[in-house]
Structures are given as C-alpha cells and as structure tokens.
Amino acid sequence: MPAADRAPHFVRSLERGLAVIRAFDADHPELTLSEVARACGLPRAATRRFLLTLADLGYVRAGGRTFRLTPRVLELGYSYLSSFSLAQIAEPHLEQLVDRTRESSSLCVLDGDDIVYVARVPARRIMTAAITVGTRFPAYVTSVGRVILAHLPDEEIELRLARAELRPLTARTLVSVEPLRAELERVRRQGYAVVDQELEEGLRSVAAPVRDRDGEVVAAVNIPVQAGRTSLASIRRDLLPPLLETVAGIEADLGMSTGLSTGRGRAASPGTGTRRSSSSPRPPAPRP
C-alpha cells in the first residue's frame, strides 16, 4: 500500500511482519534471511528481528541458515474459516455434487484481486492442479473469479480492469482488457463461466455464482476437469445442470439461515461486494 494511502492508524510494522509470513509459499517453503529480506523489500536487520520474533511466537522455525513456517500459522486462517458459515453450509452440497459428477468441486470467495478456496471436496482422481483450502489464484483467469467479477457493479469492474496485471499463464490466457470485458459481460448474461486452459494447460473449469438472501453474489462454486477427457460441450451438457442445481441448494439453505456470516467484509476487501438484483432469476441451464 502506498504511504500516501495509509490511514493515520496504519501500523507499518504489522504490515511488514505479515509480509514476512507471506514470503513463504509452496514454491519457497524454506528461505534464508537474505531471501526473505529480498522478497519483502526489507533491510536484513529488520527482517532478522521479524523472523526471530515470529520464531519466539512459534510461527517460524529456524534451522541453520534457513527459516520455515510452522503449523501454528494455520491458526491465523482457521479463525476465519471456522467462522465462515457459508463454507459449512456449502460442503454437504459439494459432496453430493462430487458424488454425482465424479469430479472435484470447490467454493471460492473474492479477496482483493484473487479468489481464495474456502471449501473443497476432491474427487478420487489425480488432478494436475494441487488445490487445497486457502489456495489463491488471480480472479481474472479462473471461472470462479470471472463469475464473481462479472456481477460487480460496472464501475467496480472498470476500476479492476484498469489496474489489472494481465499475465499469460498459458497460451490461451486472455491478457487484453477488451476481450476480458466482453467475456465478463457474457458471463453476467448467461449466469455461469467456462474457462478453457487459461489457468493451466489441460485444465478446464465451469463455475456458477452463489447469492445470499439479498441477491448479492458472495461466492462461486466450480467443477474443474481435465481437457483431455472432457469436452466443452460435455461440460455444458453434463456438468453445468448439476452445478446450477447445487448452487441453488446452497442458496436455499443460505436463505433459511439467520445471522449467517456469508463472508462479506471478511474474504472480500473493501469495495469487492458483489451485487445483483434479488428479483433477477438465475438463468436456466442450457439444454443438451
């Protein structure tokens, strides 16, 4: 966050401490002091103090010249997930969808410019994408992300497109604003999104939005498949109808729940709430 945008209450040391934790990921589970400092853009001396403090608190373990996170960091995310009622409501529906389609399924929410997996039921099949609860991807390149983005207010979409860093993750990734804007408009009209090998070669995905009782899109459910064994026509014919039935079931349970935490203001950053008129019906599934 630029210094000029920081509020008077902003605690920069907390920002830096969290940056140190985020320096570690699946590709960099173990880092040296210099590597952490470089990843965070911090002086070595400050980085050392943060790492040693995190070690004293039990979030980091030192081993020789390297550091790695401990399982205790899971507590930071578990507090959110344990109170995220939408994930609890969705999980049995996801399980039924997986039993019905024999494909994995996940529930995702928008967090800044990323989508985050908050519930997942894997199929008994090896997929090339190693995805777990907490996994993040750029929203613009995923089916769940496009479904949520498409239902943002128009001015919000334009702001996001203006600041987006569109990178070609595969040869098929949409990296121009105009085609992406057109795709989001199509997704909004049809009520679902299909992404064909834009996030990863050989991986296709279909997603549909989940709305709360006020008609706001608060999450999305997807079904990822291997392109080599599932055609786009098959996705729309065989997977989309049960997917739409599943999100309808989640929405029905969501509507009957009182005092439910849907995640608005939790997973979503300020200004990422999604809106849709509650009187707008969900588009019917396409006929085979």
Side-chain angles (χ1 to χ4, degrees), residues 125-138:
R125 179 182 295 113
I126 297 175
M127 293 291 293
T128 57
I131 298 172
T132 59
V133 169
T135 295
R136 307 172 70 94
F137 290 118

Side-chain angles (χ1 to χ4, degrees), residues 52-127:
L52 293 181
T53 299
L54 289 169
D56 290 343
L57 294 173
Y59 294 110
V60 168
R61 181 171 58 249
R65 296 179 58 252
T66 61
F67 298 84
R68 64 168 52 240
L69 299 180
T70 72
R72 189 168 188 178
V73 298
L74 296 174
E75 295 176 357
L76 301 176
Y78 183 74
S79 297
Y80 164 70
L81 291 175
S82 63
S83 65
F84 193 69
S85 301
L86 176 55
Q88 298 170 357
I89 285 177
E91 190 161 342
H93 293 277
L94 299 183
E95 291 173 350
Q96 294 174 14
L97 179 62
V98 171
D99 287 343
R100 184 174 174 183
T101 63
R102 300 186 183 277
E103 302 288 356
S104 300
S105 184
S106 303
L107 176 80
C108 302
V109 296
L110 187 66
D111 181 18
D113 293 323
D114 295 337
I115 54 94
V116 181
Y117 285 69
V118 296
R120 177 166 171 79
V121 178
R124 294 184 179 180
R125 179 182 295 113
I126 297 175
M127 293 291 293

